[in-house]
Structure formats: C-alpha cells, structure tokens
Amino acid sequence: FTYFYKGKEYWKFNNQILKVEPGYPRSILKDFMGCDGPTDRDKEGLSPPDDVDIVIKLDNTASTVKAIAIVIPCILALCLLVLVYTVFQFKRKGTPRHILYCKRSMQEW
C-alpha cells in the first residue's frame, strides 16, 4: 500500500489493483494523533498502567536565525561601502604623505 497525505486527510492506495481503498479519505488527526477521543483499546482497559505522556518543548530559534541572516549581510554591505568610500578618497586627494614616505631612514639598519 501507498499512503497519500494532503492537508488533514490521507488516502490508502492499493498498488496491486491501482485503486484507493474504500472508506478514504480519512482524517490524519483521528487515525494517527488520537485526537478524536478514547480508542477501542482504552474502552476495553487494555492500555498499560505505566503510560507516560512525553512533552517536548521546542525553542523558538527560527526568529534568531532570521535576525542573524538579516544582520550579517547588512554589516558586510556597510563594510563594503566604507571600503569603496576610502578608495575614492585616496584617488581624489591622493595618498597621504606620511604613508608614502617613511620619516626615518631604513639604511641605518
């Protein structure tokens, strides 16, 4: 069998006869999540006495990742603008003299 899911419903497809099984579509919530109410097993008292509910708390890290994904490119773009501005300033005014000429002689070494 192959199961097809769409929205809150699913279909059970028989691969040998190439048809959907009768009684479908069915609710995913009722069949898989147990959201409809007590099952037949609970009515008969067959559930194990040491049943434990497991609760998993998910952190909301998606907003942090989105913020980082926005801030880092903005910082890089700002650095690029500063670099371009500095290059244009050097071309317009020329390189400062203290960068071009060393005040101390290197020959003393």
Side-chain angles (χ1 to χ4, degrees), residues 79-89:
C79 291
L80 184 64
L81 288 174
V82 169
L83 178 67
V84 169
Y85 174 77
T86 306
V87 167
F88 280 129
Q89 288 298 320

Side-chain angles (χ1 to χ4, degrees), residues 44-72:
E44 296 170 9
L46 296 176
S47 61
D50 57 347
D51 252 355
V52 177
D53 291 335
I54 298 174
V55 177
I56 300 173
K57 185 178 179 182
L58 300 176
D59 294 332
N60 192 8
T61 57
S63 61
T64 305
V65 172
K66 287 179 185 176
I68 290 172
I70 292 171
V71 169
I72 289 177

Side-chain angles (χ1 to χ4, degrees), residues 10-80:
Y10 74 100
W11 291 260
K12 184 177 180 182
F13 184 77
N14 190 330
N15 295 332
Q16 293 179 349
I17 60 173
L18 301 176
K19 288 193 176 193
V20 174
E21 292 287 311
Y24 288 89
R26 295 180 65 173
S27 172
I28 295 171
L29 295 174
K30 290 178 184 177
D31 293 348
F32 291 100
M33 300 294 186
C35 294
D36 194 33
T39 61
D40 295 335
R41 189 174 176 200
D42 291 338
K43 290 177 187 173
E44 296 170 9
L46 296 176
S47 61
D50 57 347
D51 252 355
V52 177
D53 291 335
I54 298 174
V55 177
I56 300 173
K57 185 178 179 182
L58 300 176
D59 294 332
N60 192 8
T61 57
S63 61
T64 305
V65 172
K66 287 179 185 176
I68 290 172
I70 292 171
V71 169
I72 289 177
C74 290
I75 291 172
L76 291 174
L78 182 64
C79 291
L80 184 64

